[in-house]
Amino acid sequence: MNLFQDALAWLTDPERSAGPNPLVDRIGEHLWYTLLALVVSALIAIPLGYLIGHTGRGRQLAVLGSGAARALPSLGLLTIFTLLVGVGNAQVAAIAVFVILGVPSILAGAYAGVEAVDRTVVDAARAMGMTETQILFRVEAPLGLPLLLGGLRSAALQIIATAVLAAYVGLGGLGIYIQRGISLRTYDEMLGGAILIVLLALAVDALFAIGERVARRAIGSGPTRSRPRPDRPEPLTTDQQSTLEEIR
Amino acid sequence: MIEFRGVGKRFADGTDAVIDFSLVMPSHQVTVLVGSSGSGKTTILRMINRMVDATEGEVEIDGENVATLEPVQLRRRIGYVMQSAGLLPHRRVLDNITTVPRLNGMGRATADELGLSLMDTVGLDRSLARRYPHQLSGGQQQRVGVARGLAVDPNILLMDEPFGAVDPIVRADLQAELMRLQRDIGKTVVFVTHDIDEAFLLGDQVVILATGGVIAQKGTPAEILANPASDFVADFIGADRGRRSLRIVEQAGRRIVVDGDGRAAGVLTDDSAAR
Amino acid sequence: MNWVAANLDLIVELTLTHARLSLLPILIGFVIAVPLGAFAWRFRWARGLTLTVVGLLYTIPSLALFVLLPPIIGISFLSELNVTIALSIYAVALMTRSATEALESVDPDVRGAAAAMGYSGWGRFWAVDLPLAGPVLLAGLRVVSVSTVSLVTVGVLVGSRNLGYLFLNGLQRGIVAEIATGIVMTVVIAVVFDLLLALAGRLVMPWTRGADGGRTRRAARRIALTEGPA
Ligand SMILES: Nc1ncnc2c1ncn2[C@@H]1O[C@H](COP(=O)(O)OP(=O)(O)OP(=O)(O)O)[C@@H](O)[C@H]1O
Ligand SMILES: [Mg+2]
């Protein structure tokens, strides 16, 4: 556990705030890149996901996207994009990769949220005279919000993790401590950086968890998403009904 | 008045759900469509508010072909109540009831007032107004559904097995409530059920459907009972099993009505005393 | 393409190593997670805790785990064991959730019917619950498999030799083809594993072919869509 004490000492060293490579800056960078990429991904993915969910067309795209985002190695994408746009433009390359990896989760969340809405509810809304846009924004979007937030949560975590690797293409952020720690064999720095990264990820995760909970409550669904009732209980046959009446 | 003239519906997958259906549903009366599962009842009902578009023939409301009307506007002036209520789970009872008036631009305060009075109309306690649908019983949800259907004071009310998912006791309650309501408001009601007893209870006009929306018989309950047009109808209304034939038996000086199985159905009294 | 032709041996060697490195975490994940998931499913009190812990585990970014794990369990940073154990942890974390959901997706009516026929306890678990949860378990396993193959590449940063080597080396030497080859081969391994798993699923669960699984199918699709490690 000695190593962890060293890491703690490293984290609390005044050098961390006064020195040439202050923690706050790195944390700020990490969060900023994450936020930026998350917003860009959301702007692309949410409209697309809603469109797929509402029309039911292009589901394959959502499935394919999720599969691809999982299969593509993020380190590979980072390095190849960096080479392609030139090492001086690491930021552009990194953000592009973050967006590529962030879009599928958000798309899946938006799509799954809309699709999970009980079809009879949508049907009733349409029968009442809601326009398609009203159905999407007043029924499907609010009811699908928890799942959308789930998608944003996965995307945010994916981006945070990829941003750690982005230190290797010269982006900065918290990954820089791990990168330097490993190459210089300074264990305190590497562990300290890793601890910070974990804390950051957990904090963001918790934030989204709270958001999801609030959303669930706001849409008035029960505490847990209970099993859907079979939407159509077998109708009684005339015979069964007369039997029932006789019992009464 | 709603009129179907030679209406057919073929779904995209080639299913002929309704074939050459013609019927007049008179204003201010309850027309009940009854038939077994898959006979096309829902399809016929939904062609009235263009949730389904007819592929053949015309559907007219007071002489206006619905195909020429804008679906959203059409739907907003027709009440629709369905089996599982289809309430918006993220909106409170009151907001569910007033959804369409609000969409039509009614102010919140007026709408809430209207919603509360509709709750009275359908026999819902006002204290339930702030609840979410999942906090209501099935019967209560169904009443909210009816209140919502009435919210724009539509001339036409479409009801698709509205009481199908509640237990028989609650159903009887809701049926009685609907009859009382209809006496007051006199809407043009189209009611779908596969329960023949419910059809006879509620219908001014009962239409018995066979597969493909083919009319096996139509008429008042009395007409159909008096003269089933075919074995299919007789079977469907249970006449052949003697359920519908009642006889009178004298016992202890009173006249008891007994059904085909010999079970007592009630006591016969003078007409004047019964009313 | 010159680079590929000149380095075929390296590519083959790295691909095989990569596949081998991926295999163990996937297997370990499955073997540990299914009982764990069943446990969380069976005992309500264990559920919240188990699912929270595994949820937190796969929140941890991979490189941070590679760095933190060795001092915690007392192994060397650069040992192959490090990557294997870290990826097994992810696999367990992902798979446990899927396993719980898989068991939950079993139609309660079917379970009830099985109980009525006289199945109980373990008998019912093996004969009814587990097979019926199969399609969802498989969906979870496929997610684990694809993610693991991709995550192995990060191991190169802590000295593991795999296809990720081509990324670092390609970056340093400025060879796009080298990195592209690494990406393509990683995806190829993932796809091959995925096809093998799908095939195995068809052999082991012949009843799922063409059947409309209803609840299970929906749960399987949800997992395939939304689960994934950070
Ligand atoms: N969207 C659709 N696409 C294809 N076929 C449909 C569609 N909707 C209904 N059908 C078919 O049309 C026929 C009539 O269906 P409909 O829903 O009108 O029956 P119903 O009388 O209301 O039955 P139920 O009592 O079960 O509600 C059935 O064979 C049904 O399968
Ligand atoms: Mg129907």
Side-chain angles (χ1 to χ4, degrees):
Chain A
M1 284 292 110
N2 223 349
L3 285 172
F4 282 101
Q5 276 163 14
D6 294 349
L8 222 61
W10 179 86
L11 279 170
T12 48
D13 191 323
E15 181 87 345
R16 297 289 84 72
S17 46
N21 199 9
L23 276 185
V24 198
D25 286 12
R26 299 289 88 80
I27 295 175
E29 260 171 19
H30 213 106
L31 281 175
W32 164 243
Y33 290 132
T34 303
L35 187 70
L36 186 65
L38 197 63
V39 169
V40 175
S41 312
L43 287 178
I44 298 170
I46 295 179
L48 206 57
Y50 279 169
L51 197 70
I52 294 175
H54 184 75
T55 61
R57 266 178 238 152
R59 289 196 191 117
Q60 287 312 313
L61 191 74
V63 177
L64 210 71
S66 304
R70 236 178 259 133
L72 290 172
S74 40
L75 187 62
L77 291 186
L78 280 171
T79 47
I80 204 166
F81 270 62
T82 306
L83 277 194
L84 290 176
V85 301
V87 179
N89 291 325
Q91 292 190 4
V92 180
I95 299 276
V97 173
F98 299 164
V99 170
I100 289 175
L101 295 175
V103 161
S105 304
I106 305 177
L107 183 94
Y111 152 68
V114 168
E115 190 178 58
V117 177
D118 188 348
R119 284 302 103 183
T120 54
V121 170
V122 175
D123 191 62
R126 190 169 286 128
M128 268 190 289
M130 283 198 181
T131 63
E132 296 307 306
T133 334
Q134 283 166 340
I135 292 172
L136 181 59
F137 287 107
R138 297 181 193 215
V139 181
E140 291 172 328
L143 288 174
L145 190 60
L147 280 176
L148 172 62
L149 283 173
L152 283 166
R153 180 182 182 175
S154 308
L157 292 172
Q158 172 78 53
I159 293 172
I160 287 178
T162 311
V164 175
L165 306 181
Y168 281 85
V169 297
L171 187 74
L174 284 169
I176 214 160
Y177 297 116
I178 294 186
Q179 186 217 359
R180 288 201 334 180
I182 290 176
S183 59
L184 303 176
R185 311 261 153 192
T186 43
Y187 290 105
D188 54 349
E189 182 170 20
M190 148 164 92
L191 281 182
I195 290 170
L196 275 184
I197 289 164
V198 172
L199 290 180
L200 187 79
L202 289 178
V204 169
D205 188 53
L207 216 62
F208 275 103
I210 294 170
E212 274 178 59
R213 185 167 293 209
V214 169
R216 254 181 230 294
R217 192 154 304 164
I219 64 175
S221 60
T224 53
R225 279 198 309 147
S226 54
R227 295 219 169 80
R229 275 184 306 171
D231 45 5
R232 195 162 261 261
E234 275 301 303
L236 296 178
T237 64
T238 345
D239 271 340
Q240 282 170 323
Q241 266 180 14
S242 48
T243 317
L244 256 176
E245 277 160 21
E246 279 164 26
I247 294 167
R248 270 194 280 150
Chain B
M1 185 179 84
I2 305 168
E3 184 171 3
F4 283 78
R5 273 205 307 265
V7 172
K9 175 64 193 180
R10 167 172 293 180
F11 282 106
D13 64 358
T15 316
D16 278 309
V18 176
I19 303 160
D20 193 24
F21 179 79
S22 296
L23 180 73
V24 171
M25 304 169 174
S27 296
H28 310 296
Q29 291 202 8
V30 179
T31 297
V32 178
L33 305 177
V34 61
S36 44
S37 199
S39 54
K41 308 179 292 291
T42 299
T43 307
I44 292 171
L45 188 81
R46 289 161 79 93
M47 287 194 282
I48 299 173
N49 67 352
R50 291 198 58 187
M51 287 292 283
V52 171
D53 278 322
T55 44
E56 222 154 291
E58 295 99 48
V59 181
E60 288 185 351
I61 297 177
D62 296 330
E64 252 187 316
N65 187 340
V66 294
T68 65
L69 303 173
E70 208 280 310
V72 168
Q73 292 311 318
L74 177 70
R75 289 170 199 158
R76 285 197 193 167
R77 58 187 179 88
I78 296 179
Y80 189 96
V81 185
M82 55 203 260
Q83 179 178 45
S84 57
L87 302 178
L88 302 178
H90 61 307
R91 297 207 181 165
R92 297 170 193 277
V93 164
L94 197 59
D95 300 325
N96 258 291
I97 296 175
T98 58
T99 305
V100 185
R102 297 276 292 145
L103 284 178
N104 285 338
M106 185 184 281
R108 161 136 247 145
T110 329
D112 283 359
E113 204 42 58
L114 170 73
L116 287 171
S117 74
L118 280 166
M119 290 182 73
D120 299 339
T121 309
V122 298
L124 273 175
D125 198 295
R126 285 185 176 214
S127 66
L128 302 176
R130 315 267 324 139
R131 292 218 190 158
Y132 284 108
H134 74 95
Q135 297 168 319
L136 301 182
S137 73
Q140 289 168 333
Q141 289 183 14
Q142 220 46 57
R143 286 172 198 264
V144 176
V146 175
R148 183 173 70 178
L150 293 172
V152 287
D153 195 19
N155 292 323
I156 297 173
L157 191 58
L158 308 180
M159 307 183 88
D160 191 353
E161 299 187 40
F163 310 143
V166 294
D167 71 68
I169 297 173
V170 176
R171 185 183 313 159
D173 232 34
L174 290 167
Q175 288 166 344
E177 194 86 15
L178 181 67
M179 287 196 290
R180 176 189 65 72
L181 197 64
Q182 174 64 0
R183 268 201 299 277
D184 297 344
I185 58 181
K187 303 284 183 200
T188 304
V189 178
V190 185
F191 192 106
V192 163
T193 179
H194 45 238
D195 173 358
I196 187 67
D197 295 316
E198 187 170 64
F200 283 162
L201 182 69
L202 300 173
D204 297 310
Q205 172 177 241
V206 173
V207 181
I208 298 178
L209 297 175
T211 309
V214 174
I215 298 181
Q217 188 171 7
K218 64 171 188 241
T220 64
E223 283 165 2
I224 295 175
L225 271 173
N227 192 3
S230 61
D231 288 350
F232 175 80
V233 174
D235 181 43
F236 197 80
I237 67 178
D240 59 332
R241 291 189 301 279
R243 277 190 62 226
R244 300 285 170 190
S245 56
L246 305 175
R247 28 197 184 94
I248 295 169
V249 180
E250 296 264 353
Q251 193 163 349
R254 304 191 72 179
R255 287 179 297 169
I256 310 291
V257 181
V258 170
D259 71 11
D261 296 334
R263 287 192 176 76
V267 181
L268 203 64
T269 57
D270 281 345
D271 218 31
S272 52
R275 287 277 153 168
Chain C
M1 285 303 103
N2 285 337
W3 182 89
V4 176
N7 292 277
L8 271 180
D9 286 351
L10 178 68
I11 297 170
V12 171
E13 180 231 325
L14 288 177
T15 305
L16 291 178
T17 321
H18 195 109
R20 182 177 57 77
L21 277 175
S22 314
L23 216 52
L24 206 53
I26 298 172
L27 283 178
I28 294 177
F30 189 73
V31 169
I32 296 183
V34 171
L36 201 59
F39 176 70
W41 162 76
R42 186 70 204 281
F43 302 103
R44 287 241 136 231
W45 54 265
R47 202 191 132 90
L49 185 68
T50 313
L51 294 187
T52 307
V53 170
V54 300
L56 290 181
L57 281 178
Y58 77 67
T59 306
I60 302 176
S62 46
L63 184 55
L65 188 59
F66 289 150
V67 169
L68 288 171
L69 197 60
I72 293 178
I73 58 175
I75 55 172
S76 152
F77 273 105
L78 300 179
S79 75
E80 191 171 277
L81 204 58
N82 181 12
V83 174
T84 302
I85 294 178
L87 293 183
S88 301
I89 290 177
Y90 282 129
V92 170
L94 260 171
M95 193 65 212
T96 302
R97 238 164 82 131
S98 303
T100 310
E101 261 184 59
L103 288 164
E104 251 162 21
S105 77
V106 176
D107 188 342
D109 289 348
V110 175
R111 304 192 69 234
M117 284 187 294
Y119 276 113
S120 66
W122 281 110
R124 181 167 68 171
F125 183 79
W126 289 114
V128 180
D129 296 330
L130 202 57
L132 289 184
V136 188
L137 283 176
L138 180 64
L141 188 59
R142 289 170 70 173
V143 170
V144 169
S145 156
V146 175
S147 318
T148 304
V149 170
S150 158
L151 278 176
V152 165
T153 59
V154 179
V156 74
L157 301 178
V158 290
S160 158
R161 195 174 154 81
N162 57 59
L163 286 168
Y165 169 81
L166 302 180
F167 303 155
L168 289 191
N169 194 258
L171 180 68
Q172 269 158 22
R173 298 167 55 193
I175 307 175
V176 173
E178 182 173 0
I179 304 179
T181 306
I183 296 177
V184 169
M185 291 320 291
T186 312
V187 173
V188 166
I189 297 177
V191 170
V192 169
F193 277 20
D194 197 56
L195 290 178
L196 287 176
L197 283 173
L199 192 70
R202 279 173 162 242
L203 292 178
V204 180
M205 302 178 289
W207 67 88
T208 54
R209 242 168 290 174
D212 173 25
R215 295 165 58 91
T216 23
R217 165 112 355 146
R218 247 171 302 160
R221 190 158 51 139
R222 207 199 60 67
I223 285 177
L225 259 175
T226 52
E227 293 293 334

